[in-house]
Amino acid sequence: MSLPEVRVFPDPEHLVAALADALCAEAEADIRARGSFHLVLAGGNTPRELYRALAARGAGDAHWVVWYGDERCVAADHPERNSVMAEMAWLAASRIPPINRHAIPAECGARDAADAYSKRLEGVGDFDLVLLGMGEDGHTASLFPGQAWGETADSADALAVHDSPKPPPERVSLSAARLNRSRRVWFLVGGASKREAMRRWRDGERLPVGAIHARTETLVWLDRAAAP
Ligand code: 6PG
């Protein structure tokens, strides 16, 4: 469970600028190579500035297909929804058509939402790039310590989470196995509150973040305040 490659930046502003540029370059290369760019978005607060930076770059068009690593089971227009945050910060103003923006269904409860999302993912190959955050306990997406992370090959693509320690309790999360069916995974981690979890990850403790290994590249984009 050792740390993947870590890129440390002096502050969130430098990190977001470098990450937005690298993401746009990655999208261009993948679209040239395969005609599309399947991107999984991280939830929580940290990615908001990245999504705003992508909006400022006019990032996204009909070749982009957007998924979510996890979602909170609250109303579809609830400000706490990860998809509402991403739509407001970037997607609604982008040239990515709504049909390519796959929000996780919210209204039907975690079990039915997870089943519906797994079905929507049937036939979808490896993601090109997965963006993930990390919580102070080392969780990622909605995969939490002490719970099932769906690491085995026969795991469902999307898991229902009924007792999340991070509110709200009801969530849907891509499984570790589905997150790992990706060419690249980039973690975006910032703030002194994450330093302890980074130290535990570095020291090899078994954490959800450590269960994520992309096929080509797993990278941590870190602001110095969170460096262990
Ligand atoms: C969520 C996220 C979660 C998040 C981390 C970090 O729905 O809450 O998917 O995994 O990425 O908890 O959250 P912050 O970026 O707000 O610290």
Side-chain angles (χ1 to χ4, degrees):
M1 295 285 165
S2 59
L3 261 181
E5 182 189 342
V6 179
R7 287 184 188 161
V8 184
F9 294 82
D11 54 50
E13 292 72 24
H14 282 86
L15 190 164
V16 162
L19 181 40
D21 289 345
L23 190 152
C24 291
E26 191 53 51
E28 207 176 302
D30 292 345
I31 290 166
R32 257 200 321 274
R34 287 176 295 278
S36 63
F37 179 59
H38 282 258
L39 171 65
V40 177
L41 296 185
N45 295 313
T46 304
R48 182 180 283 110
E49 289 312 315
L50 169 63
Y51 300 158
R52 286 176 174 156
L54 291 173
R57 286 161 172 77
D61 62 24
H63 297 97
W64 292 46
V65 182
V66 171
W67 304 89
Y68 289 85
D70 72 329
E71 189 54 280
R72 296 95 177 265
C73 291
V74 291
D77 60 353
H78 194 291
E80 283 297 302
R81 270 183 68 83
N82 291 330
S83 56
V84 169
M85 185 273 279
E87 287 285 339
M88 289 173 66
W90 168 34
L91 297 175
S94 77
R95 290 169 293 127
I96 304 173
I99 196 169
N100 285 13
R101 302 182 340 226
H102 294 280
I104 297 176
E107 305 70 29
C108 49
R111 177 70 276 147
D112 292 343
D115 292 346
Y117 212 55
S118 292
K119 189 150 187 61
R120 199 180 311 169
L121 279 163
E122 282 175 5
V124 176
D126 287 3
F127 296 125
D128 292 299
L129 176 60
V130 172
L131 296 173
L132 287 171
M134 182 187 73
E136 296 173 16
D137 59 356
H139 79 255
T140 192
S142 286
L143 306 177
F144 293 93
Q147 298 187 359
W149 305 341
E151 297 176 82
T152 55
D154 61 349
S155 301
D157 280 0
L159 306 176
V161 177
H162 297 292
D163 46 0
S164 164
K166 176 178 181 182
E170 287 273 300
R171 290 163 167 257
V172 175
S173 182
L174 291 187
S175 59
R178 187 57 177 96
L179 289 167
N180 289 341
R181 292 207 301 276
S182 309
R183 290 182 178 78
R184 288 173 167 71
V185 169
W186 292 351
F187 288 93
L188 169 53
V189 180
S193 68
K194 307 295 175 69
R195 190 181 301 143
E196 176 59 18
M198 286 300 301
R199 189 193 58 72
R200 291 167 60 197
W201 187 3
R202 177 201 60 192
D203 295 349
E205 189 175 328
R206 180 161 159 73
L207 296 169
V209 282
I212 307 303
H213 306 283
R215 299 197 200 281
T216 306
E217 176 187 70
T218 306
L219 199 52
V220 182
W221 297 71
L222 192 67
D223 93 37
R224 185 168 295 139

